Amino acid sequence: MSDAGVDDSTVAPLCGRLRENWWRLALIAATLVMAAFAWYEPLVAVFTVIPVLTWCCGLARSDRTGLVVGAILLALAAWILLPRDLGLSGQWVPSVFDGCLFLPILTAVICLVGIRGERSRGLPAIGFCAFAVAGLALGGYTAVWYSEGDTGNEGVWPGPSGLRVVEGEREGGSGGFSRQLDATGDRAPERMRDYLSSRGFSSQGNDSPSICRVNGVVLTYKVCAVVEDISPTMVRVSWWI
């Protein structure tokens, strides 16, 4: 009578495949973790994951080339996702438009170099074209969305930890829609200003109450906010694009 445990003939091949493909699993896991923390921008998160998944699950064949190209794609994904994960900003941080339009181009160049000399060039070429078209479509959709004034989190929401933050109503105007939040807690006005300053917002001068930051590397756009002190323990922030 055979043992009730798992058959060794099944476990051994599975373990062998896992050892052979460890780098694929590691690259995919790292990319998914970064995307999960940037999920407040779902379009950017999903779109940035696609190149790594496509390479690791379909295009990569040899381990050496696969790992090198995969690591480059992972670095490209990290350049887009990590600043969002960490709340960083600046003109070196790609905007959503940079990601949509330039990520497909860079991905195509990197992957084509990686698969050079291998067979089945037709399918990867079709895939790269489809990815580029998807990027153009996503970029166009996002441009329309932004032109309508549908303001996202933009480094303001959810505010600094330790404060109680409540989102207010959206307000419409000639320039689109602005968002608003109220934050309460110890030294709320000071902490909110420090929070926004750490995310790249700065005064515009000329006695303007607005503080602004520029997002993006090539295709940039400006986000502005107004911080209004309600009391020593309460502050109201309105922001728009």
Side-chain angles (χ1 to χ4, degrees), residues 112-203:
L112 286 173
V113 171
I115 64 174
R116 185 179 59 180
E118 295 185 354
R119 295 176 298 173
S120 302
R121 295 181 180 177
L123 186 59
I126 294 174
F128 292 140
C129 290
F131 188 53
V133 170
L136 291 173
L138 181 57
Y141 167 79
T142 307
V144 172
W145 185 63
Y146 271 62
S147 69
E148 293 294 327
D150 292 328
T151 305
N153 295 332
E154 303 299 344
V156 180
W157 181 268
S161 61
L163 296 181
R164 182 177 180 271
V165 180
V166 178
E167 186 171 10
E169 296 182 358
R170 294 174 180 261
E171 298 180 351
S174 59
F177 288 87
S178 65
R179 291 179 62 183
Q180 188 179 90
L181 66 79
D182 291 335
T184 56
D186 183 42
R187 300 185 301 109
E190 178 184 349
R191 292 169 64 183
M192 180 59 72
R193 286 186 172 84
D194 290 342
Y195 174 83
L196 294 176
S197 177
S198 69
R199 279 154 178 76
F201 286 86
S202 60
S203 174

Side-chain angles (χ1 to χ4, degrees), residues 25-39:
L25 300 175
L27 293 175
I28 291 173
T31 307
L32 292 178
V33 168
M34 289 189 295
F37 284 100
W39 193 247

Side-chain angles (χ1 to χ4, degrees), residues 20 33 35-36 54 67-68 93 105 130 167 169 183 208-209:
E20 292 174 1
V33 168
T54 303
L67 178 58
V68 171
V93 177
I105 298 174
E167 186 171 10
E169 296 182 358
S208 172

Side-chain angles (χ1 to χ4, degrees), residues 193 196 201-213 223-229 235-240:
R193 286 186 172 84
L196 294 176
F201 286 86
S202 60
S203 174
Q204 299 300 288
N206 299 324
D207 297 326
S208 172
S210 301
I211 55 175
C212 302
R213 79 175 188 182
V223 183
C224 290
V226 170
V227 181
E228 179 185 358
D229 294 8
V235 64
R236 177 168 297 157
V237 182
S238 301
W239 73 100
W240 63 92

